[in-house]
Amino acid sequence: MSENKGIMLAKSVQKHAGRAKEKILQNLGKVDRTADEIFDDHLNNFNRQQASANRLQKEFNNYIRCVRAAQTASKSLMDAVCEIYEPQWSGYDALQAQTGASESLWADFAHKLGDQVLIPLNTYTGQFPEMKKKVEKRNRKLIDYDGQRHSFQNLQANANKRKDDVKLTKGREQLEEARRTYEILNTELHDELPALYDSRILFLVTNLQTLFATENVFHNETAKIYSELEAIVDKLATESQRGSNTLRKQTSNPIKTSSPVQSPVNKLNNANINSNYQNQITTNGGSSLANSQPPPESPVAAATPSSPTENGVATKSVERPELSGLNASAKATTTTQTSPTEEKVVVSEVKPLETEGATVAAAEAAATPPVATPAPPATPAQVNGNNNEPSIPKEGGKHPKELPSNTSNAEAAAEAAANNGNSIEEHKQKKLDANTADLPPGVLYRVKATYGYVKEDVDELSFEIGDLIRVIEYDDPEDQEEGWLMGQKEGTTEKGLFPANFTRPI
């Protein structure tokens, strides 16, 4: 057995030595070499194809590593976001769900890239090493063939001189065997190399389509997730802003009351002394508006002794000294009701008796303002439809605004209150019948300001009489407030909430 190994080793050394000798002679130009230009073209194409595939494989492996690193970084970031987002904040559960969906999306993306893109790419590039070994074997057999061809040519030249037919016959047989081995490999490669080169198109189409489709799905779904996350944070910002505004309004009103305040009786007396200042007093649930500042405080009328209680509420009467010069039976009295929790001031109207002459009756009418019935308490003066006195706002919303009125007549006040409802109904009907064909996108309809309004909050809109406003949808339908609309003043970029009854649809 050792002898067989020695024989095989000797033959292998002899082959390598013969091939090395033949290469040297070819390189020196001492002997010719068999040329195959078509094969050389196939081989050049193969080399370029292999280099491109190897680079694509290298870069894609690097991309996969980066994707997995980004997946880990994204998970860490989302964990930090979930940790810092407090459970009592708006949208906490939705944020948890979206961050979980993001993590699943990253995992699915990395899995698809590995299974559907990288594995086929590795299979494709795995063909090149085997094909390259076959090409190298063919080149060795070509050198063997060229060597046998040159040896046979030498034998033929020497045989003519020596007439050694045995060596010539043996040389011919070796030449035929070398030629046959070479041609078999060469023919196979003439078929396989072009087929492998043409397969690159189908592979690239399939592989890149999978890659780009996976990327497209991932980024679209990621965009949706981040859009939802943005909406959650925007809603939190809106609610936080409104909460801070409400807190600011609740804390600012008590500060105003810390200054010297007149008693309700003084306010009513001062209002009646100066006829240049008109005050509208609430009648049966209506509203009033003070159009100017009250005159300086006048002396307060002396109160009469307390009268018996009515329904557990003590009452006392205060005479009106400014009416002392008139008929005594035509005086108006102010009744103060006192309960354990509040003090209410109600002005009772006493119609003047028939007097001698119209002068006394006119004076009494001028001195006696329109008054409310004893049931509801007097409503403080209003600006933009809101009480100046501290009030408890509606939870999560705004008060509907009352229309301003410059008259002190109770009938005018009642008419203004009726206009409030009519205006809002017109807006509701306009929204149902609106035709947005000729309006910019997102605009429901247009309105014209019938009253001026000065915003009282950062999310409101100020306007003057005659301004045109485009009514648009709320950013969040849940934020819709009764009696309020969202709009943008035409010709400006100002946008905000405004009271519907201060405008008319056009």
Side-chain angles (χ1 to χ4, degrees):
M1 187 171 181
S2 60
E3 293 179 358
N4 292 334
K5 287 184 177 181
I7 294 172
M8 292 176 64
L9 180 60
K11 286 183 178 181
S12 177
V13 171
Q14 185 180 3
K15 279 184 179 182
H16 283 84
R19 287 169 184 164
K21 180 182 176 181
E22 183 66 23
K23 275 186 174 183
I24 292 173
L25 293 174
Q26 288 178 358
N27 292 334
L28 294 174
K30 300 294 183 180
V31 294
D32 62 340
R33 69 177 66 187
T34 302
D36 189 344
E37 294 181 357
I38 296 177
F39 178 81
D40 291 341
D41 291 339
H42 293 331
L43 184 60
N44 290 334
N45 292 337
F46 170 79
N47 290 332
R48 287 197 305 270
Q49 183 181 8
Q50 183 184 22
S52 299
N54 287 339
R55 182 182 177 185
L56 180 62
Q57 183 185 35
K58 175 184 175 182
E59 297 300 334
F60 193 76
N61 276 318
N62 183 51
Y63 181 70
I64 285 285
R65 287 192 294 271
C66 293
V67 166
R68 287 169 180 161
Q71 177 185 1
T72 304
S74 175
K75 184 178 184 305
S76 299
L77 175 63
M78 290 303 170
D79 289 344
V81 170
C82 291
E83 181 179 350
I84 200 172
Y85 203 96
E86 299 180 10
Q88 68 271 19
W89 290 353
S90 172
Y92 175 78
D93 293 335
L95 183 133
Q96 296 286 336
Q98 292 300 329
T99 54
S102 175
E103 183 178 345
S104 300
L105 191 61
W106 271 104
D108 184 63
F109 177 56
H111 177 74
K112 284 185 177 180
L113 288 180
D115 284 359
Q116 300 180 16
V117 181
L118 183 59
I119 291 178
L121 178 58
N122 291 338
T123 303
Y124 173 72
T125 55
Q127 303 174 90
F128 297 103
E130 294 296 327
M131 189 65 67
K132 191 170 185 178
K133 289 181 181 179
K134 198 169 186 178
V135 170
E136 291 173 350
K137 184 178 181 180
R138 177 258 182 198
N139 292 337
R140 291 194 300 269
K141 296 305 178 182
L142 176 59
I143 292 174
D144 292 342
Y145 170 67
D146 286 339
Q148 290 297 330
R149 184 166 57 83
H150 294 146
S151 297
F152 182 71
Q153 288 173 355
N154 292 332
L155 286 175
Q156 282 182 327
N158 294 330
N160 292 332
K161 296 178 181 179
R162 299 178 183 179
K163 296 182 180 181
D164 191 351
D165 295 335
V166 177
K167 289 185 177 180
L168 188 63
T169 303
K170 186 178 180 181
R172 184 180 289 109
E173 290 177 354
Q174 291 176 345
L175 175 62
E176 288 298 323
E177 183 181 357
R179 183 182 62 79
R180 190 167 49 252
T181 303
Y182 161 71
E183 287 184 350
I184 290 173
L185 289 173
N186 192 55
T187 303
E188 289 178 357
L189 289 173
H190 269 274
D191 293 336
E192 293 175 0
L193 287 177
L196 178 61
Y197 185 68
D198 292 340
S199 69
R200 76 192 189 285
I201 299 176
L202 180 60
F203 164 75
L204 287 175
V205 167
T206 304
N207 198 256
L208 294 181
Q209 278 182 339
T210 304
L211 171 62
F212 297 151
T214 304
E215 291 277 355
N216 183 42
V217 171
F218 170 73
H219 290 294
N220 284 341
E221 294 299 321
T222 301
K224 293 178 182 178
I225 289 175
Y226 281 97
S227 177
E228 292 293 332
L229 292 174
E230 183 184 13
I232 292 171
V233 177
D234 286 345
K235 186 175 180 181
L236 174 64
T238 302
E239 292 184 359
S240 175
Q241 184 182 27
R242 290 188 175 180
S244 63
N245 289 337
T246 302
L247 179 61
R248 186 162 58 251
K249 288 191 290 186
Q250 289 176 340
T251 56
S252 63
N253 284 329
I255 295 176
K256 293 180 181 178
T257 62
S258 63
S259 60
V261 180
Q262 292 180 338
S263 67
V265 176
N266 287 344
K267 291 182 180 179
L268 292 175
N269 290 338
N270 293 339
N272 291 325
I273 292 173
N274 193 335
S275 60
N276 293 330
Y277 296 90
Q278 299 176 347
N279 297 286
Q280 183 177 345
I281 299 177
T282 303
T283 303
N284 295 331
S287 63
S288 62
L289 176 69
N291 295 322
S292 57
Q293 296 295 327
E297 182 178 351
S298 62
V300 182
T304 60
S306 300
S307 62
T309 60
E310 298 179 5
N311 298 327
V313 180
T315 63
K316 56 183 179 180
S317 298
V318 181
E319 292 187 1
R320 302 295 297 275
E322 64 270 22
L323 302 180
S324 59
L326 302 177
N327 192 318
S329 61
K331 293 183 180 179
T333 61
T334 301
T335 303
T336 302
Q337 298 180 349
T338 305
S339 67
T341 58
E342 61 180 349
E343 180 178 351
K344 301 181 181 179
V345 178
V346 180
V347 179
S348 300
E349 179 182 4
V350 181
K351 294 183 179 180
L353 299 177
E354 294 182 1
T355 60
E356 296 179 2
T359 304
V360 176
E364 292 173 353
T368 305
V371 294
T373 59
T379 303
Q382 299 178 343
V383 177
N384 277 347
N386 280 344
N387 293 339
N388 289 336
E389 297 297 325
S391 61
I392 300 176
K394 263 190 345 184
E395 182 178 356
K398 298 176 178 290
H399 285 300
K401 294 292 183 181
E402 297 294 341
L403 288 177
S405 173
N406 292 330
T407 65
S408 60
N409 186 281
E411 293 181 0
E415 182 181 357
N419 288 338
N420 283 329
N422 294 338
S423 177
I424 294 175
E425 289 300 324
E426 288 181 9
H427 280 276
K428 291 181 179 179
Q429 188 63 35
K430 182 66 176 181
K431 184 175 182 181
L432 294 175
D433 301 336
N435 182 6
T436 60
D438 298 331
L439 298 175
V443 179
L444 303 178
Y445 57 95
R446 299 165 68 239
V447 298
K448 184 175 182 179
T450 54
Y451 296 89
Y453 182 73
V454 179
K455 65 181 182 180
E456 300 176 348
D457 217 337
V458 293
D459 59 349
E460 296 179 2
L461 180 68
S462 297
F463 50 83
E464 302 292 339
I465 297 177
D467 285 349
L468 299 180
I469 304 173
R470 297 176 178 177
V471 180
I472 59 178
E473 289 285 0
Y474 277 70
D475 295 335
D476 186 350
E478 295 181 359
D479 294 339
Q480 177 72 48
E481 304 288 354
E482 181 65 25
W484 291 80
L485 298 173
M486 176 67 72
Q488 179 178 358
K489 191 156 56 172
E490 288 194 357
T492 69
T493 58
E494 298 180 41
K495 172 184 171 184
L497 299 173
F498 66 93
N501 54 347
F502 280 53
T503 63
R504 292 289 182 189
I506 58 174

